[in-house]
C-alpha cells in the first residue's frame, strides 16, 4: 500500500467506527480495571456470551480491591461457563499483585501491564491504548486477518517472522491516530465485517484500500503453510450417586482446571474399571459429551456406577445433588450436572 493510501484508510476506518461501533458495556467506561476484565473475558469467547458474565462480574467485583480480596472459589464460580479457567486464576493473581504493589491502580503503560500475570502483549496494548491513550497497536487473529488482506501479504502467518512484521505494520498504522478508537475499530472490523470465511467487502469502510479485494480473493489471506492436525480422543467419567448425593473431585490447583470440581474421569476405560473395581459389574451409559480443546476433539463417555462407588482420593467429596449449583465445573462437566439435575427432578417429582 502506498504511503498516500494510508491516511485515507485510517480516516475511513475511524469514521466508520464512530458511526457503527456496537454499544457494549465496556465501551461506556474508561476504567482500566473494567477494560482489563472485558479484554480477558473476550479472549476465546464471543461478545454475546461475555456481556452477561461481565455485568454479573462487575456487580460482584466492581474494582481491583474487591477482586483481590475475594476467595478463588468465588472468582471461579463467577467465571464458570466461560471456559479456559486459567484466565480467571491469572486475573485474580494479578488483582492481588496490583492491590499489593500498585495501591490498587493498574500501571499506565503497555510495557508495565505486560508484566502482570495473564496480560500478554495484545491485552497490555488494548488496556494502555483504550484506558490511558498510549499509542500501542494490538495484534490478534482478527487484526492479522485484516492486515494480511489489506496488504495482500503472501507470508506464512505461522512464522514468528511474519508476526513480528505484522506487529510493525500495526504499529505504523496506529501512529498519530486516536489509539484506543483505532484499536477498537480494527477489532470491530474483524468481528463484524472482515469475517474469516465470507468477508462483507461490499460494506467494508476500507474496501478501497484493500489489496486482497482488488485481487478478487480476500479469503486467500491470511496464508498459513501447515494445516493444524486435529486429534480425536475419548475420555471416561463416572457418575456415582448415593442417597441423593453425587461424588465429585476437586482438581489440583496447578492443573488446567485448577480448583474446579469434576466427576471422576480418566483417559482410559481400564483405569476407571480398575480404580472403582468395576470388572464384574455392568456399567450403565449415562451420556456422551463432545467438546473441543485446543487441537483435540474429545468425546467424554459418561457412565453411571451401578451401586454408588466410593471416594478414591482425598480430593473427593459426596455432594447433595441440590447443592451442585454452588460448585464451579468446567463446561463438559456442567453438561453432566444439567443432565443429573434433569433426571433428579424427574425422580424427585
Ligand atoms: Fe476485509 Fe473485504 Fe474489507 Fe478487505 S475489503 S478488509 S477483505 S472486508
Amino acid at each position: 500500500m502506498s504511503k498516500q493510501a494510508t491516511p485515507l484508510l485510517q480516516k475511513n476506518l475511524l469514521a466508520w467506527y464512530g458511526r457503527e461501533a456496537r454499544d457494549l458495556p465496556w465501551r461506556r467506561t474508561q476504567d482500566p480495571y473494567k477494560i482489563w476484565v472485558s479484554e480477558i473475558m473476550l479472549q476465546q469467547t464471543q461478545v454475546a456470551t461475555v456481556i452477561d458474565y461481565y455485568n454479573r462480574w462487575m456487580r460482584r467485583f466492581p474494582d481491583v480491591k474487591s477482586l483481590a480480596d475475594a476467595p478463588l472459589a468465588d472468582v471461579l464460580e463467577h467465571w464458570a461457563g466461560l471456559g479456559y479457567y486459567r484466565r480467571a486464576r491469572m486475573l485474580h493473581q494479578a488483582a492481588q499483585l496490583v492491590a499489593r504493589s500498585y495501591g490498587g491502580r493498574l500501571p499506565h503503560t503497555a510495557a508495565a501491564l505486560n508484566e502482570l500475570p495473564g496480560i500478554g502483549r495484545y491485552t497490555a496494548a488494548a488496556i494502555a491504548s483504550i484506558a490511558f491513550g498510549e499509542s500501542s497497536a494490538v495484534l490478534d487473529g482478527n487484526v492479522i486477518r485484516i492486515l494480511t488482506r489489506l496488504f495482500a501479504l503472501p507470508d506464512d502467518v505461522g512464522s514468528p517472522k511474519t508476526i513480528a512484521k505484522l506487529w510493525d505494520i500495526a504499529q505504523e498504522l496506529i501512529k498519530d491516530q486516536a489509539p484506543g478508537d483505532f484499536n477498537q475499530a480494527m477489532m470491530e472490523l474483524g468481528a463484524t465485517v472482515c469475517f474469516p470465511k465470507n468477508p462483507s467487502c461490499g460494506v467494508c469502510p476500507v474496501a478501497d484500500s484493500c489489496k486482497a479485494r482488488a485481487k478478487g480473493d480476500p479469503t486467500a489471506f491470511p496464508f498459513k503453510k501447515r494445516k493444524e492436525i486435529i486429534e480425536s480422543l475419548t475420555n471416561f467419567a463416572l457418575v456415582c450417586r448415593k442417597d441423593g448425593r453425587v461424588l465429585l473431585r476437586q482438581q489440583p490447583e496447578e492443573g488446567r482446571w485448577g480448583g474446579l470440581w469434576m466427576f471422576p474421569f480418566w483417559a482410559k476405560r481400564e483405569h476407571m474399571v480398575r480404580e472403582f473395581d468395576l470388572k464384574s459389574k455392568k456399567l450403565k451409559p449415562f451420556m456422551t459429551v463432545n467438546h473441543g480443546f485446543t487441537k483435540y476433539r474429545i468425546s467424554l463417555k459418561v457412565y453411571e456406577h451401578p451401586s454408588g462407588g466410593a471416594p478414591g482420593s482425598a480430593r473427593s467429596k459426596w455432594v447433595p445433588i441440590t447443592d451442585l449449583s454452588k460448585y464451579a465445573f468446567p463446561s463438559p462437566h456442567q453438561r453432566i450436572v444439567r443432565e443429573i439435575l434433569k433426571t433428579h427432578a424427574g425422580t424427585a417429582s
Side-chain angles (χ1 to χ4, degrees):
M1 187 176 302
S2 68
K3 284 249 181 231
Q4 291 86 341
T6 310
L8 183 66
L9 183 162
Q10 293 160 322
K11 188 171 144 251
N12 287 345
L13 182 66
L14 281 171
W16 168 82
Y17 181 69
R19 280 192 317 272
E20 305 287 339
R22 289 167 295 173
D23 177 26
L24 302 171
W26 47 90
R27 287 193 178 150
R28 294 181 207 143
T29 179
Q30 290 286 111
D31 182 338
Y33 165 73
K34 292 181 175 165
I35 291 160
W36 170 34
V37 172
S38 72
E39 286 297 332
I40 300 290
M41 285 187 170
L42 286 164
Q43 291 167 6
Q44 289 123 348
T45 311
Q46 301 284 330
V47 167
T49 310
V50 166
I51 292 174
D52 283 350
Y53 279 92
Y54 173 88
N55 287 333
R56 198 162 71 101
W57 183 279
M58 287 307 158
R59 283 195 293 277
R60 171 62 186 87
F61 312 114
D63 49 29
V64 170
K65 186 174 182 314
S66 52
L67 177 58
D69 289 347
L72 179 62
D74 199 359
V75 174
L76 291 173
E77 196 192 315
H78 281 74
W79 197 272
L82 274 176
Y84 298 94
Y85 291 85
R86 191 171 175 274
R87 293 182 293 170
R89 286 197 296 275
M90 294 281 115
L91 202 50
H92 188 227
Q93 268 179 33
Q96 290 177 332
L97 186 63
V98 171
R100 217 171 38 241
S101 309
Y102 294 90
R105 299 158 79 111
L106 279 175
H108 289 198
T109 64
L113 286 160
N114 199 187
E115 297 294 315
L116 295 173
I119 300 191
R121 187 172 172 184
Y122 172 95
T123 309
I127 302 167
S129 62
I130 300 169
F132 303 117
E134 182 180 294
S135 184
S136 284
V138 293
L139 187 80
D140 67 348
N142 278 333
V143 181
I144 288 173
R145 187 168 64 253
I146 297 167
L147 293 180
T148 54
R149 288 176 177 176
L150 284 175
F151 295 91
L153 206 73
D155 313 34
D156 173 19
V157 294
S159 138
K161 218 168 123 196
T162 309
I163 298 300
K165 184 170 166 181
L166 286 164
W167 275 110
D168 289 346
I169 295 175
Q171 195 55 43
E172 189 59 32
L173 271 185
I174 204 174
K175 217 159 74 185
D176 305 327
Q177 305 301 309
D181 283 353
F182 192 84
N183 277 336
Q184 291 189 86
M186 290 292 269
M187 299 172 195
E188 191 77 353
L189 190 72
T192 63
V193 177
C194 194
F195 301 117
K197 288 206 177 104
N198 293 304
S200 303
C201 302
V203 296
C204 176
V206 292
D208 289 345
S209 316
C210 181
K211 285 193 175 173
R213 187 188 185 224
K215 281 174 177 276
D217 189 11
T219 53
F221 305 92
F223 169 69
K224 194 159 191 188
K225 227 183 221 159
R226 288 172 304 277
K227 269 212 168 270
E228 203 178 0
I229 298 157
I230 302 290
E231 265 184 62
S232 293
L233 293 178
T234 304
N235 285 178
F236 301 86
L238 197 58
V239 173
C240 304
R241 295 193 217 219
K242 207 155 51 179
D243 308 326
R245 295 172 304 156
V246 285
L247 186 67
L248 300 181
R249 281 182 180 169
Q250 192 171 32
Q251 300 308 299
E253 288 300 334
E254 62 281 3
R256 166 180 145 207
W257 282 315
L260 295 182
W261 290 88
M262 297 171 77
F263 296 89
F265 78 101
W266 299 263
K268 291 201 162 129
R269 196 176 193 278
E270 58 262 38
H271 294 166
M272 171 176 75
V273 169
R274 196 182 318 133
E275 188 180 333
F276 274 68
D277 195 18
L278 296 165
K279 202 162 179 196
S280 54
K281 302 197 170 90
K282 192 164 165 39
L283 281 175
K284 198 166 121 203
F286 183 66
M287 69 186 296
T288 299
V289 181
N290 294 312
H291 63 106
F293 178 70
T294 58
K295 62 176 186 144
Y296 300 105
R297 292 278 166 276
I298 302 169
S299 173
L300 178 65
K301 303 227 176 269
V302 188
Y303 292 91
E304 182 140 18
H305 193 288
S307 56
S313 77
R315 288 183 159 266
S316 299
K317 182 175 170 183
W318 286 98
V319 171
I321 291 175
T322 46
D323 284 354
L324 281 174
S325 58
K326 295 180 189 157
Y327 290 77
F329 296 89
S331 296
H333 288 244
Q334 263 176 13
R335 281 156 66 185
I336 305 175
V337 169
R338 281 202 291 273
E339 200 56 33
I340 289 176
L341 292 176
K342 253 198 266 165
T343 50
H344 184 68
T347 326
S349 61

